[in-house]
C-alpha cells in the first residue's frame, strides 16, 4: 500500500494564506490525525490532497506520483459538511457516485448491494434519499465513501453531527480500514476524540504545522506534567494553587480537576494541599498532558485563546 | 478533461429530470393546451356563426333591393321584407320575432344617405361587416344596371380578386411569400428561444444551487473536475430542453394533424370560403387551425441558435448559481446575465419592420443577441448565409470564452459558503489558480 506525502504546500485565497508551507506524510496501516482549531487550514489542505483544488506552491504525492484525477479514484472522502442528492433513490445514488469514482455500473451496483447488506440497509435501496432519517443518510454517506474500495481515506470532522450509534459504527469502520493497511487521514478540531484513534498527529494552527510525529513520542516529549485529581469535599485548594501560580487548571468540575504543573512546582505540593483540604481523595495521577494542553503549550496560551474565539465566529475552512 | 465523466454526469442529470412527474406533465400538457387554445377559437367561432343564423326584417323604401339582398344573404342572414309600419317592426324585434331590422332609405339608390341596422344587441363586428358588404354590393349593381352598364361591366365589378404576395429569393426565381405567416413564425421562434434560454438557464442555476446547498458538490468534485461537472450539468439540462421542445413540436404538429380532420367533420367547405372539394389541409388552414410549413433551413438554424444561446447563457447562470447558497441571493448577480437576454426583445419590432437595416444586421450578429434576433431575421428576410454563419461562429466562440470564465468562477464558488460575494470578489475568483 502506498503512502501520502505532502511537501511544502502553500495555498492562498486572494490575500489570505490558508495553508503556509505545510509538510507531513501519512503511512498505510496508521491513522494520521490532522488537528487544529477551525480556520487552521485543515480543510484547505484536505481539498488539495483530494485534488479539489491545487496548491500554489509545493507538491502532494500519493504512491510517489503527484495527485490528480487518477488518485481521486483511489481516495474515499467524507467531507465535514455532508450531503447527498435528495431526490435520487438510495441505490441509484450510490451507483452514480461509484461510477464517478471509475467503477462500472455493474460493479457499483454489486458493491452497493454488498454494503447495504452489511449495514442492514438492503430495504432502503429503492427509497428516495430524502425519505431517510438523518442517521440512515449518514450510513449511506459512509457507503458512498467506501464503495470504490479506496486505499486512502480522508475523514473531515467525521464524528460531528453523527448520532451515537453511527459514531460507533464509523469508529469500527475506521479501525477495520486501518487493519486492512489503508492510509487514513482524520481531521478534527476535537482533540480529545482524535487522541483515542490516531497513531500519528499533525497539529496545525493558522495554516502552519506546529507539531507533528507519532502521538506516543509527542506525549513523552511533553513529559508527565499533568495531574488528575478526583475527590470529595472542599475544592478551594485548587483556586489557591492557581492563585499562587503553582498550577494551571485545564478542566475542572465539582469532584474532578485536571492541572498542569507550572515550572518548578513539585507534584507533591499539590498532593499535600489536596490531602489537607479534601474529605476524601480517590485519585491522584501524574500523567502526560492531553492533546488540548499540548496544543496550548505549543502555540502559547494567549494565542490559543484567541484562536478559540476566532473559531467560534469564523466560518469553517 | 474526461469525456466519459462528462457523459456520466450528463446522463444522470438528464434522466433524473426527464423521468420526474413535473417534466412528464409539462411535456404532455403544454401541447394539448396549445392545440386547444389554437383550435378552439376556430371551432367555436365557426359554431357560433352556424347557430347565428339571423332573421332580419327588411324595411326597403327603395322597393328594388329586397330580392337581390335576400339572395346575397344566403344561409347566414335571412332578409324578410315587410311593409308593416316601423313601430310594429320594432315591436317584433323587441318580441324576438326578428334579430333586427334593416332600414334602406330611398335615397340610397342615388348614393346618398345610409342604411341603418337596428337590433337589441348591437350586432357585433362580423355581422356589421357582412351586412355592410351585402348592401353595398347590391346597391352598386343596381346603380350600374340603371346607369346602363352591360353584363361585361357587371362581371368585372363582381370579380373578387385576392392578393397574393411573393418573395424574391436571393437566387433566381421567387418563392411563395407567406410573409405574414413567416413574421408570426419568426416572432414566435424569437420568443420561444428567449423563454427556453431563460427557463432552462434557471434550471441550470437551480441545479447548481441545490448541489451546493446540499453539500453534495464537495463529494462530486472529489471524484471529477469542477469543469466536468459544470459541462455535464449544462449539457444534460440542454439535452432535456431539446427533448422537451422536440416533443412539443411533434405533439403540436400531431395535434393539428388530428384537429384538421375533426374540424372538417363539423364544417363544410363553403362556410370556410374554400372550394367544395378542398383538401382537409386547405380547410384547416382556412379555419385557422393549422401550422404553416416551415422551411427546413430555418428549423436547422432555430435548433442551432437555441443550443448556442442556451449553452452561452446556461454557463453564466451556472456561474451565478455557484456564487450563492439560495435562489433569492442570486437576484443582484443575475442582472448582467438577464440584461443581454432582454435587450433583443426590445428590438423585435424594429427588426420585423426593417430586417435588413444596418442596426438590425449588427444587432443580430452580436453573440448575446443573435440566438433571438438572427433567428427572427432568418425567418422574415433573406439573410445572406455569411451573416448567419458569422453570427453562429461568434456565438460559439463567445460560448467557449464564457464557459471558461464561468468554469473558473464555478470552481471557487461551489466551495465558498457564507456571505454572498459581490462582482468584485467574483472577478477575483477568475484569477485564482
Amino acid at each position: 500500500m502506498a503512502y501520502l506525502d505532502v511537501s511544502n504546500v502553500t495555498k492562498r485565497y486572494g490575500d489570505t494564506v490558508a495553508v503556509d508551507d505545510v509538510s507531513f506524510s501519512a503511512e498505510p496501516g496508521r491513522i494520521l490525525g490532522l488537528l487544529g482549531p477551525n480556520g487552521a487550514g485543515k480543510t484547505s489542505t484536505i481539498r488539495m490532497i483530494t485534488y479539489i483544488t491545487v496548491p500554489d506552491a509545493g507538491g502532494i504525492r500519493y504512491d510517489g506520483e503527484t495527485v490528480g484525477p487518477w488518485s481521486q479514484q483511489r481516495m474515499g472522502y467524507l467531507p465535514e459538511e455532508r450531503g447527498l442528492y435528495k431526490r435520487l433513490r438510495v441505490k441509484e445514488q450510490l451507483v452514480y457516485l461509484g461510477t464517478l469514482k471509475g467503477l462500472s455500473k455493474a460493479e457499483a451496483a454489486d458493491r452497493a448491494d454488498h454494503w447495504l447488506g452489511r449495514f442492514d440497509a438492503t430495504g432502503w435501496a429503492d427509497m428516495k434519499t430524502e425519505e431517510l432519517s438523518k442517521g440512515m443518510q449518514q450510513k449511506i454517506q459512509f457507503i458512498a465513501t467506501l464503495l470504490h474500495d479506496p486505499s486512502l481515506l480522508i475523514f473531515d470532522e467525521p464524528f460531528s453531527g453523527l448520532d451515537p450509534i453511527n459514531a460507533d459504527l464509523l469508529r469500527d469502520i475506521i479501525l477495520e480500514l486501518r487493519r486492512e493497511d489503508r492510509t487514513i487521514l482524520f481531521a478534527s478540531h476535537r482533540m480529545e476524540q482524535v487522541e483515542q484513534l490516531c497513531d500519528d498527529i499533525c497539529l496545525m494552527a493558522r495554516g502552519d504545522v506546529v507539531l507533528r510525529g507519532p502521538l506516543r513520542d509527542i506525549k513523552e516529549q511533553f513529559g508527565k506534567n499533568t495531574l488528575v485529581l478526583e475527590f470529595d469535599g472542599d475544592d478551594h485548594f485548587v483556586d489557591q494553587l492557581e492563585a499562587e501560580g503553582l498550577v494551571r487548571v485545564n478542566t475542572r468540575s465539582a469532584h474532578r480537576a485536571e492541572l498542569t504543573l507550572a515550572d518548578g512546582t513539585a507534584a507533591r505540593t499539590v498532593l499535600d494541599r489536596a490531602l489537607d483540604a479534601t474529605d476524601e481523595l480517590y485519585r491522584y495521577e501524574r500523567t502526560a498532558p492531553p492533546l488540548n494542553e499540548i496544543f496550548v503549550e505549543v502555540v502559547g496560551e494567549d494565542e490559543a485563546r484567541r484562536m478559540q474565539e476566532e473559531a467560534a465566529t469564523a466560518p469553517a475552512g | 478533461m474526461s469525456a466519459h465523466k462528462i457523459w456520466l454526469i450528463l446522463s444522470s442529470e438528464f434522466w433524473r429530470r426527464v423521468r420526474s412527474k413535473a417534466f412528464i406533465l409539462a411535456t404532455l400538457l403544454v401541447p394539448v393546451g396549445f392545440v386547444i387554445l389554437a383550435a378552439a377559437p376556430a371551432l367555436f367561432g365557426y359554431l357560433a356563426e352556424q347557430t347565428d343564423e339571423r332573421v332580419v326584417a327588411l324595411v326597403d323604401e327603395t322597393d328594388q333591393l329586397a330580392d337581390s339582398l335576400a339572395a346575397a344573404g344566403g344561409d347566414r342572414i335571412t332578409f324578410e321584407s315587410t311593409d308593416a309600419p316601423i313601430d310594429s317592426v320594432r315591436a317584433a324585434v323587441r318580441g324576438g320575432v326578428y334579430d333586427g331590422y334593416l332600414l334602406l332609405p330611398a335615397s340610397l339608390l342615388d348614393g346618398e344617405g345610409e342604411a341603418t341596422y337596428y337590433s337589441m344587441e348591437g350586432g357585433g363586428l362580423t355581422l356589421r361587416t357582412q351586412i355592410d358588404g351585402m348592401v353595398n354590393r347590391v346597391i352598386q349593381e343596381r346603380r350600374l344596371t340603371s346607369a346602363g352598364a352591360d353584363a361585361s361591366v357587371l362581371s368585372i365589378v363582381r370579380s373578387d380578386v385576392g392578393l397574393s404576395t411573393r418573395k424574391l429569393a436571393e437566387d433566381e426565381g421567387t418563392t411563395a411569400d407567406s410573409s405574414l405567416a413567416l413574421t408570426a413564425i419568426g416572432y414566435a421562434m424569437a420568443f420561444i428561444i428567449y423563454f427556453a434560454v431563460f427557463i432552462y438557464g434557471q434550471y441550470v442555476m437551480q441545479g447548481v444551487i441545490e448541489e451546493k446547498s446540499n453539500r453534495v458538490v464537495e463529494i462530486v468534485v472529489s471524484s471529477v473536475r469542477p469543469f466536468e461537472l459544470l459541462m455535464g450539468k449544462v449539457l444534460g439540462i440542454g439535452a432535456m430542453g431539446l427533448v422537451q421542445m422536440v416533443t412539443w413540436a411533434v405533439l403540436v404538429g400531431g395535434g393539428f394533424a388530428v384537429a384538421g380532420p375533426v374540424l372538417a367533420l363539423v364544417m363544410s367547405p363553403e362556410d370556410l370560403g374554400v372550394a367544395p372539394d378542398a383538401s382537409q389541409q386547405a380547410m384547416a388552414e382556412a379555419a385557422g387551425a393549422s401550422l404553416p410549413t416551415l422551411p427546413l433551413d430555418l428549423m436547422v438554424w432555430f435548433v442551432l441558435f437555441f443550443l448556442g444561446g442556451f449553452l452561452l447563457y446556461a454557463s453564466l447562470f451556472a456561474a451565478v448559481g455557484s456564487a450563492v447558497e439560495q435562489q433569492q441571493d442570486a437576484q443582484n448577480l443575475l442582472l448582467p446575465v438577464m440584461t443581454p437576454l432582454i435587450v433583443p426583445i426590445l428590438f423585435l419590432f424594429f427588426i420585423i419592420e426593417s430586417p435588413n437595416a444596418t442596426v438590425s444586421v449588427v444587432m443580430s450578429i452580436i453573440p448575446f443577441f443573435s440566438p433571438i434576433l438572427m433567428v427572427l431575421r432568418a425567418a422574415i428576410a433573406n439573410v445572406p448565409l455569411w451573416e448567419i454563419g458569422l453570427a453562429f461562429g461568434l456565438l460559439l466562440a463567445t460560448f467557449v470564452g464564457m464557459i471558461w470564465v464561468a468554469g473558473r468562477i464555478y470552481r471557487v464558488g461551489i466551495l465558498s459558503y457564507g456571505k454572498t460575494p459581490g462582482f468584485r470578489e467574483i472577478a477575483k475568483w477568475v484569477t485564482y489558480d
Side-chain angles (χ1 to χ4, degrees):
Chain A
M1 286 272 174
Y3 79 102
L4 173 75
D5 182 48
V6 175
S7 58
N8 306 102
V9 163
T10 298
K11 180 76 188 170
R12 286 181 209 89
Y13 291 106
D15 301 329
T16 325
V17 182
V19 178
D20 188 9
D21 198 24
V22 160
S23 302
F24 61 86
S25 58
E27 286 170 40
R30 291 176 76 86
I31 300 175
L32 171 71
L34 191 58
L35 309 178
N38 288 334
K42 300 187 302 290
T43 300
S44 295
T45 306
I46 287 175
R47 282 183 181 161
M48 288 184 280
I49 295 172
T50 50
Y51 197 59
I52 292 173
T53 58
V54 290
D56 294 327
I60 298 172
R61 269 175 290 280
Y62 181 61
D63 205 3
E65 273 183 69
T66 301
V67 294
W70 73 273
S71 63
Q72 286 188 325
Q73 311 220 336
R74 296 180 55 186
M75 291 180 187
Y77 174 37
L78 186 67
E80 177 179 7
E81 298 282 357
R82 295 178 277 266
L84 294 164
Y85 290 102
K86 285 186 192 152
R87 270 174 239 145
L88 288 190
R89 294 179 193 286
V90 168
K91 186 164 170 191
E92 187 181 15
Q93 173 121 247
L94 290 172
V95 170
Y96 177 52
L97 294 175
T99 54
L100 292 185
K101 283 288 189 190
L103 296 179
S104 74
K105 261 196 177 147
E107 261 178 310
D110 282 349
R111 295 192 192 186
D113 287 338
H114 165 77
W115 281 100
L116 285 172
R118 239 197 94 177
F119 285 180
D120 295 325
T122 308
W124 308 347
D126 289 324
M127 286 172 77
K128 280 195 180 170
T129 307
E130 62 187 348
E131 293 166 1
L132 301 182
S133 73
K134 209 169 171 214
M136 289 154 96
Q137 291 191 26
Q138 287 168 354
K139 284 190 184 174
I140 304 304
Q141 198 101 43
F142 300 160
I143 297 178
T145 312
L146 302 172
L147 195 68
H148 55 294
D149 196 24
S151 54
L152 172 64
L153 285 127
I154 297 165
F155 301 98
D156 194 357
E157 302 287 358
F159 296 108
S160 79
L162 289 198
D163 56 49
I165 296 171
N166 280 328
D168 282 347
L169 178 65
L170 181 61
R171 197 185 313 273
D172 293 345
I173 293 174
I174 291 177
L175 291 174
E176 186 183 321
L177 292 167
R178 179 171 75 164
R179 280 196 298 278
E180 289 167 356
D181 256 0
R182 297 172 205 265
T183 307
I184 299 164
L185 188 67
F186 179 163
S188 180
H189 71 286
R190 300 279 304 277
M191 304 202 197
E192 72 286 354
Q193 265 180 355
V194 181
E195 222 173 333
Q196 304 162 12
L197 275 172
C198 291
D199 301 295
D200 304 299
I201 61 162
C202 174
L203 214 52
M204 290 185 76
R206 294 189 188 278
D208 273 323
V209 173
V210 291
L211 188 67
R212 71 188 157 105
L215 182 62
R216 199 174 307 164
D217 296 357
I218 286 175
K219 287 240 174 179
E220 261 168 33
Q221 179 189 330
F222 278 82
K224 299 201 163 191
N225 67 345
T226 301
L227 296 179
V228 182
L229 297 150
E230 285 176 23
F231 50 83
D232 261 348
D234 186 10
D235 64 351
H236 204 60
F237 73 98
V238 179
D239 300 320
Q240 278 179 348
L241 284 167
E242 196 181 20
E244 290 169 32
L246 295 173
V247 299
R248 203 172 61 231
V249 178
N250 301 339
T251 58
R252 184 173 170 186
S253 58
H255 301 283
R256 186 178 187 281
E258 191 184 290
L259 311 170
T260 302
L261 294 170
D263 286 342
T265 307
R268 233 208 113 97
T269 318
V270 179
L271 179 61
D272 289 343
R273 298 272 188 104
L275 286 171
D276 286 349
T278 58
D279 300 337
E280 198 70 71
L281 185 68
Y282 302 118
R283 179 177 175 198
Y284 170 84
E285 186 186 358
R286 187 168 176 183
T287 179
L291 270 179
N292 263 329
E293 289 314 309
I294 292 179
F295 181 76
V296 171
E297 209 156 302
V298 172
V299 299
E301 206 170 342
D302 295 344
E303 183 74 1
R305 194 178 311 120
R306 203 142 25 103
M307 282 181 195
Q308 297 292 346
E309 280 160 15
E310 273 173 28
T313 50
Chain B
M1 202 166 65
S2 155
H4 176 64
K5 295 267 172 84
I6 294 180
W7 173 251
L8 285 175
I9 295 162
L10 186 163
S11 41
S12 172
E13 291 281 345
F14 175 79
W15 284 113
R16 101 174 64 134
R17 290 185 157 77
V18 163
R19 60 170 194 216
S20 76
K21 280 194 200 91
F23 178 86
I24 294 171
L25 278 182
T27 308
L28 295 182
L29 290 185
V30 165
V32 171
F34 187 79
V35 170
I36 289 175
L37 278 182
L43 187 60
F44 288 137
Y46 175 82
L47 290 178
E49 251 172 46
Q50 292 305 295
T51 54
D52 241 21
E53 277 175 37
R54 289 172 192 260
V55 182
V56 173
L58 184 61
V59 182
D60 182 11
E61 294 178 353
T62 65
D63 278 334
Q64 296 179 29
L65 298 174
D67 289 345
S68 22
L69 203 51
D75 293 343
R76 281 180 224 168
I77 303 174
T78 311
F79 290 105
E80 283 184 12
S81 292
T82 172
D83 296 329
I86 289 295
D87 282 348
S88 59
V89 175
R90 284 189 176 172
V93 171
R94 289 203 179 94
V97 181
Y98 303 117
D99 288 298
Y101 74 93
L102 180 65
L103 176 62
L104 303 176
S107 60
L108 278 184
L109 285 178
D110 305 322
E112 283 161 24
E114 53 183 15
T116 313
Y117 177 70
Y118 298 84
S119 73
M120 298 288 287
E121 50 186 5
L125 194 60
T126 325
L127 185 67
R128 187 205 138 96
T129 319
Q130 280 173 354
I131 295 181
D132 187 48
M134 288 170 191
V135 170
N136 268 307
R137 204 170 325 136
V138 168
I139 289 172
Q140 198 175 41
E141 269 189 42
R142 173 67 44 170
R143 290 182 67 202
L144 282 168
T145 315
S146 55
D150 67 12
S152 64
V153 174
L154 284 179
S155 83
I156 290 171
V157 171
R158 266 191 215 127
S159 72
D160 189 6
V161 181
L163 173 68
S164 97
T165 53
R166 297 184 74 76
K167 190 161 76 166
L168 279 177
E170 276 290 290
D171 47 14
E172 298 297 302
T174 63
T175 50
D177 176 23
S178 32
S179 73
L180 196 65
L182 282 176
T183 304
I185 289 168
Y187 191 72
M189 281 182 158
F191 263 99
I192 289 172
I193 288 186
Y194 167 75
F195 279 116
V197 166
F198 181 72
I199 290 168
Y200 297 136
Q202 292 265 349
Y203 276 22
V204 171
M205 188 174 85
Q206 259 169 21
V208 171
I209 295 177
E210 209 176 284
E211 228 166 30
K212 182 182 171 184
S213 55
N214 257 353
R215 310 279 177 157
V216 70
V217 72
E218 189 152 355
I219 296 191
V220 178
V221 295
S222 74
S223 309
V224 303
R225 308 299 303 136
F227 190 75
E228 292 164 358
L229 177 58
L230 173 67
M231 281 307 289
K233 187 176 279 293
V234 167
L235 293 177
I237 293 174
M240 175 208 81
L242 200 60
V243 164
Q244 188 165 52
M245 302 225 306
V246 168
T247 315
W248 280 341
V250 169
L251 289 181
V252 167
F256 280 114
V258 174
V262 168
L263 286 176
L265 286 179
V266 294
M267 296 181 186
S268 55
E270 309 91 84
D271 291 331
L272 293 170
V274 294
D277 55 352
S279 66
Q280 284 178 351
Q281 171 72 16
M283 283 178 60
E285 262 169 37
S290 82
L291 293 176
T293 351
L294 295 182
L296 183 67
D297 56 344
L298 181 59
M299 287 204 277
V300 171
W301 285 122
F302 173 77
V303 171
L304 288 179
F305 274 97
F306 158 67
L307 286 179
F310 166 77
L311 291 174
L312 174 59
Y313 280 98
S315 58
L316 296 178
F317 274 110
V320 169
S322 74
V324 301
E325 279 167 70
Q326 41 187 338
Q327 198 101 14
Q328 301 91 287
D329 301 336
Q331 296 312 321
N332 273 336
L333 297 179
L334 273 179
L335 197 67
V337 181
M338 296 300 298
T339 310
L341 190 53
I342 291 167
V343 166
I345 298 298
L346 307 177
F347 279 82
L348 285 185
F349 283 108
F350 181 83
I351 287 183
I352 288 173
E353 286 306 314
S354 29
N356 286 325
T358 313
V359 176
S360 305
V361 174
V362 171
M363 288 294 286
S364 68
I365 288 177
I366 295 174
F368 284 93
F369 308 149
S370 62
I372 293 172
L373 296 184
M374 188 50 91
V375 169
L376 173 64
R377 280 187 66 217
I380 63 178
N382 273 304
V383 180
L385 190 63
W386 72 264
E387 280 183 22
I388 306 190
L390 175 65
F392 191 66
L394 283 177
L395 179 62
L396 284 189
T398 313
F399 160 64
V400 171
M402 276 300 134
I403 190 106
W404 183 81
V405 172
R408 295 184 70 87
I409 294 173
Y410 180 79
R411 117 212 108 112
V412 179
I414 46 173
L415 298 173
S416 304
Y417 295 93
K419 198 172 149 276
T420 305
F423 291 112
R424 242 158 191 262
E425 191 169 359
I426 290 178
K428 258 195 234 160
W429 292 354
V430 180
T431 67
Y432 284 1
D433 270 326

